Amino acid sequence: NDEAKAWPAVGTEGRTTYGGISGNAIRPMALKAVSAIAKALPGFPILATGGCDSAAVAKQFLHAGAKGIQICSAVQNQDYTVIHDYKTGLQALLYLEARDDLQGWDGQSRPMESSKANPWVKPEAAVENTKEKLPDFGPYFTKKEHLKREQRAKAPLPMKPTESYGARPAPGLSRPVPSVNEIIARAVPRIGAWHELSQEEHVIAKIDPELCINCGKCYMTCNDNGYQAISFDEMTHIPEIVKDDCTGCTLCVSVCPVIDCIDMVPRDGPYIPKRGIPIQN
């Protein structure tokens, strides 16, 4: 620890040694090992272990080629009831695959495409047509809400839709619910070495201004750890992508707290890296 004392300390001398590591810290290595075996030995029965702490992760291991999954650290951190949670969670995830109207839903929030099409949450004409960029805080938010109220007075919103969400009875299945065996090794053909990935299809980040909460996390991570490809207005806190500098690294996507606020879209032309001073002969 910070006092140079061992933990755990063994014996009167209070000594320790290095141990192993388990849990979700080793999940990337476990998934790599499972997929590598599944690719080298198609159909070989694989018992996966290392970092399964949810039904979604269990499904990842199945997609990577595992036929069985060991749960250890998650049980130690909670109790054996997590097994039932993962089982019912996996059943729910398989059920989602059988419903066309739920495609793209991650089980955590409503599909963003449907939300954008909902007149109760999409940007209103008064806000979209203004040339001024209005973030969601301070006087900018007040002005934004004022414009919305003016728009609603001219054209009231329709009744809230009830057909798609919370409808009873639930819509029928679009296809049979897949079995566990049917999804084993589904992702293996798409897993390969770095040099096997496309070097021609470049992408850049695109920020949705209506979903952005102006927190600045994308700007900070790009500025301090990336390619300085995001500008940030010090007054409005509105981030904008500098298209020529963006490499498509997805750092901004990984730190953004809003689902689907940042998308990766095709770049208009190849990325030309700036290597500093040209090599002199």
mmCIF file of all heavy atoms in Angstrom, residues 1 3-10 13-17:
data_model
loop_
_atom_site.group_PDB
_atom_site.id
_atom_site.type_symbol
_atom_site.label_atom_id
_atom_site.label_comp_id
_atom_site.label_asym_id
_atom_site.label_seq_id
_atom_site.Cartn_x
_atom_site.Cartn_y
_atom_site.Cartn_z
ATOM 1 N N ASN A 1 0.837 -1.188 0.000
ATOM 2 C CA ASN A 1 0.000 0.000 0.000
ATOM 3 C C ASN A 1 0.878 1.245 0.000
ATOM 4 O O ASN A 1 2.102 1.164 -0.181
ATOM 5 C CB ASN A 1 -0.942 -0.016 1.207
ATOM 6 C CG ASN A 1 -0.216 -0.106 2.541
ATOM 7 O OD1 ASN A 1 0.963 0.240 2.646
ATOM 8 N ND2 ASN A 1 -0.901 -0.590 3.564
ATOM 9 N N GLU A 3 1.992 2.900 2.275
ATOM 10 C CA GLU A 3 2.930 2.953 3.394
ATOM 11 C C GLU A 3 3.976 1.848 3.293
ATOM 12 O O GLU A 3 4.690 1.558 4.249
ATOM 13 C CB GLU A 3 2.170 2.824 4.722
ATOM 14 C CG GLU A 3 1.212 3.977 4.989
ATOM 15 C CD GLU A 3 0.461 3.811 6.297
ATOM 16 O OE1 GLU A 3 0.574 2.707 6.897
ATOM 17 O OE2 GLU A 3 -0.214 4.758 6.725
ATOM 18 N N ALA A 4 4.051 1.224 2.109
ATOM 19 C CA ALA A 4 5.011 0.152 1.835
ATOM 20 C C ALA A 4 4.765 -1.088 2.673
ATOM 21 O O ALA A 4 5.665 -1.904 2.877
ATOM 22 C CB ALA A 4 6.452 0.644 2.038
ATOM 23 N N LYS A 5 3.530 -1.258 3.172
ATOM 24 C CA LYS A 5 3.161 -2.454 3.922
ATOM 25 C C LYS A 5 2.399 -3.409 3.014
ATOM 26 O O LYS A 5 1.600 -2.975 2.169
ATOM 27 C CB LYS A 5 2.299 -2.081 5.130
ATOM 28 C CG LYS A 5 3.031 -1.243 6.175
ATOM 29 C CD LYS A 5 2.126 -0.899 7.336
ATOM 30 C CE LYS A 5 2.864 -0.067 8.371
ATOM 31 N NZ LYS A 5 2.000 0.302 9.527
ATOM 32 N N ALA A 6 2.643 -4.672 3.174
ATOM 33 C CA ALA A 6 2.034 -5.686 2.314
ATOM 34 C C ALA A 6 0.544 -5.847 2.596
ATOM 35 O O ALA A 6 0.091 -5.729 3.737
ATOM 36 C CB ALA A 6 2.738 -7.017 2.509
ATOM 37 N N TRP A 7 -0.205 -6.096 1.523
ATOM 38 C CA TRP A 7 -1.608 -6.459 1.661
ATOM 39 C C TRP A 7 -1.971 -7.388 0.527
ATOM 40 O O TRP A 7 -1.808 -7.024 -0.642
ATOM 41 C CB TRP A 7 -2.517 -5.247 1.640
ATOM 42 C CG TRP A 7 -3.939 -5.632 1.966
ATOM 43 C CD1 TRP A 7 -4.516 -5.660 3.202
ATOM 44 C CD2 TRP A 7 -4.934 -6.109 1.055
ATOM 45 N NE1 TRP A 7 -5.814 -6.114 3.133
ATOM 46 C CE2 TRP A 7 -6.093 -6.400 1.803
ATOM 47 C CE3 TRP A 7 -4.965 -6.341 -0.315
ATOM 48 C CZ2 TRP A 7 -7.269 -6.902 1.227
ATOM 49 C CZ3 TRP A 7 -6.121 -6.834 -0.899
ATOM 50 C CH2 TRP A 7 -7.270 -7.113 -0.129
ATOM 51 N N PRO A 8 -2.408 -8.607 0.814
ATOM 52 C CA PRO A 8 -2.522 -9.173 2.167
ATOM 53 C C PRO A 8 -1.147 -9.512 2.740
ATOM 54 O O PRO A 8 -0.240 -9.875 2.006
ATOM 55 C CB PRO A 8 -3.364 -10.435 1.940
ATOM 56 C CG PRO A 8 -3.051 -10.826 0.529
ATOM 57 C CD PRO A 8 -2.875 -9.549 -0.240
ATOM 58 N N ALA A 9 -1.025 -9.369 4.032
ATOM 59 C CA ALA A 9 0.235 -9.662 4.704
ATOM 60 C C ALA A 9 0.185 -11.061 5.307
ATOM 61 O O ALA A 9 -0.772 -11.425 5.985
ATOM 62 C CB ALA A 9 0.498 -8.627 5.794
ATOM 63 N N VAL A 10 1.227 -11.854 5.058
ATOM 64 C CA VAL A 10 1.264 -13.236 5.515
ATOM 65 C C VAL A 10 2.380 -13.415 6.554
ATOM 66 O O VAL A 10 3.521 -12.991 6.335
ATOM 67 C CB VAL A 10 1.500 -14.206 4.335
ATOM 68 C CG1 VAL A 10 1.578 -15.648 4.838
ATOM 69 C CG2 VAL A 10 0.391 -14.060 3.301
ATOM 70 N N GLU A 13 6.214 -11.767 9.572
ATOM 71 C CA GLU A 13 7.047 -10.825 8.824
ATOM 72 C C GLU A 13 6.208 -9.905 7.934
ATOM 73 O O GLU A 13 6.726 -8.913 7.405
ATOM 74 C CB GLU A 13 8.063 -11.580 7.976
ATOM 75 C CG GLU A 13 9.079 -12.365 8.798
ATOM 76 C CD GLU A 13 10.087 -13.078 7.901
ATOM 77 O OE1 GLU A 13 9.861 -13.085 6.663
ATOM 78 O OE2 GLU A 13 11.075 -13.586 8.423
ATOM 79 N N GLY A 14 4.929 -10.255 7.774
ATOM 80 C CA GLY A 14 4.049 -9.428 6.960
ATOM 81 C C GLY A 14 4.466 -9.337 5.512
ATOM 82 O O GLY A 14 4.474 -8.259 4.915
ATOM 83 N N ARG A 15 4.806 -10.495 4.936
ATOM 84 C CA ARG A 15 5.269 -10.506 3.548
ATOM 85 C C ARG A 15 4.119 -10.857 2.610
ATOM 86 O O ARG A 15 3.087 -11.389 3.012
ATOM 87 C CB ARG A 15 6.415 -11.492 3.389
ATOM 88 C CG ARG A 15 7.584 -11.242 4.340
ATOM 89 C CD ARG A 15 8.777 -12.089 3.998
ATOM 90 N NE ARG A 15 9.328 -11.723 2.687
ATOM 91 C CZ ARG A 15 10.404 -12.321 2.152
ATOM 92 N NH1 ARG A 15 11.003 -13.314 2.809
ATOM 93 N NH2 ARG A 15 10.852 -11.945 0.980
ATOM 94 N N THR A 16 4.331 -10.575 1.337
ATOM 95 C CA THR A 16 3.314 -10.883 0.325
ATOM 96 C C THR A 16 4.000 -11.303 -0.962
ATOM 97 O O THR A 16 5.231 -11.319 -1.047
ATOM 98 C CB THR A 16 2.383 -9.680 0.081
ATOM 99 O OG1 THR A 16 1.249 -10.104 -0.674
ATOM 100 C CG2 THR A 16 3.087 -8.568 -0.686
ATOM 101 N N THR A 17 3.217 -11.620 -1.975
ATOM 102 C CA THR A 17 3.752 -11.976 -3.293
ATOM 103 C C THR A 17 2.735 -11.568 -4.335
ATOM 104 O O THR A 17 1.653 -11.044 -4.017
ATOM 105 C CB THR A 17 4.052 -13.482 -3.384
ATOM 106 O OG1 THR A 17 4.718 -13.745 -4.628
ATOM 107 C CG2 THR A 17 2.756 -14.293 -3.334
#
